[in-house]
Amino acid sequence: MLPKDPVILLSFVNTKLRDQYSSLDALCEDLQAEESAIRDTLHAIGYDYDPALNRFV
């Protein structure tokens, strides 16, 4: 279950990407999460996924 609060979601996802997953796709597949929902939620607070950095910036 992913956090509902966008700021907590940002922290959670970036930590997981840094420590456990090589890509957002791998994280979503493993956690059975909707990639578009994560992208949309974080985009709404000004963050977008950067695959080169493997994090939301």
Side-chain angles (χ1 to χ4, degrees):
M1 188 80 180
L2 295 175
K4 299 291 184 199
D5 181 275
V7 176
I8 295 172
L9 177 65
L10 172 65
S11 177
F12 176 84
V13 169
N14 273 346
T15 298
K16 291 287 189 183
L17 289 170
R18 181 190 69 215
D19 295 344
Q20 294 179 316
Y21 298 100
S22 62
S23 69
L24 180 59
D25 184 56
L27 178 143
C28 290
E29 183 177 325
D30 190 48
L31 298 180
Q32 299 177 352
E34 184 81 29
E35 183 175 335
S36 62
I38 294 172
R39 285 180 181 268
D40 292 347
T41 299
L42 297 182
H43 180 76
I45 62 167
Y47 290 86
D48 292 299
Y49 181 67
D50 183 333
L53 298 174
N54 191 36
R55 65 180 173 152
F56 282 86
V57 294

